[in-house]
Amino acid sequence: MLAVCGGKGGVGKTTTAAGVGAALAAQHRQAFVVDCDVDMPDLHAVVETPAEPGVAALADGAPLSRVSHP
């Protein structure tokens, strides 16, 4: 597990996380990137995937296959 975190916004945390996930996927490795930003979760916009269902659905018991996007 790798966490990309910090207190300041706009420094590239989401872009870095998306890039690491893409690099792992390009190497045919499994990657699951989760955006836990409560103020401005925008990973979905960066990787052009639907915002819903999200982590809340997973916490409510939805299967991982329902909340993840290839």
Side-chain angles (χ1 to χ4, degrees):
M1 182 171 78
L2 172 68
V4 180
C5 57
K8 185 170 180 346
V11 297
K13 295 179 297 290
T14 299
T15 303
T16 299
V20 169
L24 289 170
Q27 295 176 359
H28 305 289
R29 299 179 70 184
Q30 291 183 339
F32 188 70
V33 182
V34 178
D35 190 344
C36 295
D37 189 328
V38 296
D39 293 323
M40 189 184 346
D42 60 358
L43 177 66
H44 66 282
V46 171
V47 298
E48 300 177 345
T49 190
E52 296 294 331
V55 174
L58 189 63
D60 287 340
L64 183 60
S65 60
R66 180 172 161 249
V67 300
S68 63
H69 305 281

